[in-house]
Amino acid sequence: MNTLLPNEQQDLQLRISKVCRAMQQADAEACLLVTNVNIFYLTGLIYTGFCYLTADGEIIHFVKSPQLQEVPNVVSIRKPEQIAEVLTERNLPFPKTLLLEIDAVPYSQIQRLIPLMGTPRILNASTLMRQVRSVKTPYEIAQIRRSASRHAAVYATIPQLFRSGMTDVELQIEIERQMRLHGSVGNFRGYGANMEIFMGSLLVGDNAQQPSPFDFALGGGGTSPIAPLGANGTRIERGHAIMVDMAGNYGAWMTDMTRTFSVGKLSEQAYKAHQVSMDIHHKVQHAFAVGMSCAEVYQQAYTEAEKADLLPFFMGTKQQAKFVGHGLGLEINEPPVLTPRSNEMLVQNTVFALEPKFVIPSVGAVGIENTYLVTDNGLETITLFEENIIDLEA
């Protein structure tokens, strides 16, 4: 078992306090968590079992495996029925309102847990936890900065990784190797059923136009019907744009960054679209104020694309994504989401990615994506790396 450092312990208590306040506001007496990401948020660890948190901050770890013996208040169980037995033995009241991850836990398990807990009123713990997690603590922000630094270091190796005649898959494999060498954990966490991805996406040429069933900004055909996303074996040729959107998973908290490379010169339209993407970033930063709505940011991006006569290429061609950014942290797709109808606000210490992209037929995808921190002074760019198109032949 990994022992948490003092600063991690302090931040853990801060995160627990945030969840407890949210529970109290929701009039929920307790929360029972099962998913890895939410257990990690409250404990700094992952285990198989149930994390039971009361609104006044007491945690009981109901663990099915023995690796947490040094953690306070661990109870070894074999089946969920033992949770109710322990609460009774400790004279702890059964909650009248209980938070469960009802969109992430199997229905059969939900049906099994509710009667055991005295058939309480049930609220969705996933919604509450995702909202709490969207506003980052100082420790989380420090971890995101650390990831961003390694993210940029990997992208800096790409010109040396490229060889004439490579396919997109071959280049992606070389980037993935550098990711692991720079500390990538490999695992890429996303929320929801349509968020399957390995270590990121690399799109070359017209593969960028191919729609995908997954909920990402752009698609790509992928290498198999079982993984219909991203690189598909396209040979990289002169005049192709290479959009690199590889994961910033260099620890528990992630960054998101997209950069565009080329082989030789691209079309004038491609350079124009890329410049519009960079302009959108700069104008959003200039106009930003704490409390700006996600819809306002989306509208700024849409308006700039419209003014440049690039709407047919904005966020795809055959299938156009209806968002230009998203929150991120322990998962790559945390709240808020930058959509045209979102009422969510970008509040202080929110971390989000902005990704206005364009797909130019016969060339590929262009544009940039950066991770931003909302501060009391505006937006701070976390992902620092060259934003212009980088010619791999130069």
Side-chain angles (χ1 to χ4, degrees):
M1 185 202 74
N2 294 326
T3 302
L4 299 179
L5 299 174
N7 61 332
E8 294 174 300
Q9 290 281 10
Q10 292 171 5
D11 199 76
L12 204 56
Q13 291 305 311
L14 179 57
R15 301 199 304 258
I16 292 169
S17 296
K18 287 175 59 182
V19 175
C20 288
R21 284 195 298 271
M23 291 169 62
Q24 292 162 12
Q25 292 169 2
D27 292 324
E29 289 89 0
C31 182
L32 189 64
L33 301 174
V34 180
T35 60
N36 288 343
V37 69
N38 284 330
I39 288 179
F40 182 89
Y41 186 77
L42 289 179
T43 68
L45 303 164
I46 288 176
Y47 58 76
T48 301
F50 303 87
C51 180
Y52 185 79
L53 173 68
T54 66
D56 59 6
E58 181 175 359
I59 295 183
I60 304 176
H61 307 280
F62 294 98
V63 179
K64 293 184 178 180
S65 50
Q67 79 269 28
L68 294 184
Q69 296 306 314
E70 298 177 27
V71 175
N73 229 1
V74 172
V75 178
S76 179
I77 63 169
R78 293 173 287 102
K79 55 186 180 179
E81 284 76 9
Q82 292 174 275
I83 296 174
E85 295 172 6
V86 171
L87 295 181
T88 300
E89 290 170 2
R90 297 189 179 190
N91 294 317
L92 293 174
F94 282 56
K96 295 178 181 178
T97 300
L98 176 67
L99 286 152
L100 290 175
E101 298 157 302
I102 56 178
D103 60 346
V105 177
Y107 178 76
S108 59
Q109 190 171 61
I110 293 289
Q111 291 297 98
R112 188 176 179 183
L113 288 170
I114 292 174
L116 295 177
M117 304 299 288
T119 315
R121 170 175 169 253
I122 300 298
L123 299 178
N124 190 354
S126 295
T127 301
L128 181 140
M129 290 296 297
R130 282 170 60 77
Q131 287 299 327
V132 170
R133 285 169 26 215
S134 69
V135 179
K136 304 302 187 278
T137 63
Y139 177 80
E140 291 180 284
I141 292 169
Q143 295 305 301
I144 290 168
R145 294 187 196 280
R146 174 178 174 272
S147 177
S149 176
R150 297 189 179 193
H151 207 161
V154 168
Y155 279 30
T157 69
I158 291 174
Q160 288 72 51
L161 301 178
F162 174 75
R163 300 186 307 276
S164 179
M166 291 181 97
T167 67
D168 53 2
V169 173
E170 290 170 337
L171 179 57
Q172 182 164 339
I173 289 169
E174 295 302 318
I175 296 172
E176 289 169 355
R177 181 175 183 273
Q178 288 299 316
M179 289 171 64
R180 295 307 305 274
L181 290 173
H182 281 76
S184 167
V185 299
N187 197 8
F188 188 96
R189 286 196 167 91
Y191 175 80
N194 293 321
M195 289 297 296
E196 294 182 17
I197 193 169
F198 180 48
M199 289 175 70
S201 177
L202 188 147
L203 297 172
V204 171
D206 274 335
N207 185 42
Q209 293 197 79
Q210 295 302 313
S212 170
F214 298 130
D215 293 332
F216 294 93
L218 297 180
T223 56
S224 166
I226 194 64
L229 179 75
N232 69 342
T234 295
R235 192 162 299 281
I236 305 170
E237 298 178 352
R238 286 183 57 82
H240 275 161
I242 305 167
M243 176 165 279
V244 178
D245 188 4
M246 301 300 292
N249 53 357
Y250 299 92
W253 285 269
M254 290 185 279
T255 47
D256 213 354
M257 176 169 62
T258 297
R259 292 297 185 264
T260 302
F261 299 80
S262 72
V263 182
K265 296 299 181 182
L266 305 180
S267 69
E268 290 185 11
Q269 189 178 47
Y271 288 111
K272 174 185 175 181
H274 190 83
Q275 184 61 53
V276 170
S277 175
M278 292 192 295
D279 290 345
I280 289 170
H281 281 263
H282 301 153
K283 289 183 178 183
V284 166
Q285 282 189 284
H286 180 74
F288 186 84
V290 175
M292 179 179 282
S293 74
C294 294
E296 288 179 87
V297 176
Y298 178 91
Q299 191 57 51
Q300 283 189 341
Y302 184 93
T303 298
E304 292 301 315
E306 185 177 38
K307 283 164 48 178
D309 294 323
L310 289 169
L311 284 182
F313 316 106
F314 182 53
M315 303 305 291
T317 53
K318 298 177 182 178
Q319 177 177 290
Q320 293 180 300
K322 300 304 180 185
F323 68 94
V324 294
H326 52 88
L328 70 159
L330 291 176
E331 293 175 316
I332 199 62
N333 57 333
E334 294 190 350
V337 183
L338 280 60
T339 67
R341 297 184 180 180
S342 173
N343 293 320
E344 293 181 290
M345 302 293 178
L346 292 163
V347 300
Q348 189 170 350
N349 293 332
T350 300
V351 175
F352 72 96
L354 177 62
E355 52 178 329
K357 298 172 179 176
F358 298 88
V359 177
I360 309 302
S362 302
V363 176
V366 296
I368 63 170
E369 176 182 24
N370 277 326
T371 296
Y372 294 101
L373 169 67
V374 178
T375 75
D376 56 359
N377 295 317
L379 295 182
E380 177 190 342
T381 308
I382 299 294
T383 43
L384 301 172
F385 189 74
E386 173 62 52
E387 295 184 351
N388 289 300
I389 295 173
I390 298 173
D391 186 351
L392 296 176
E393 284 193 344

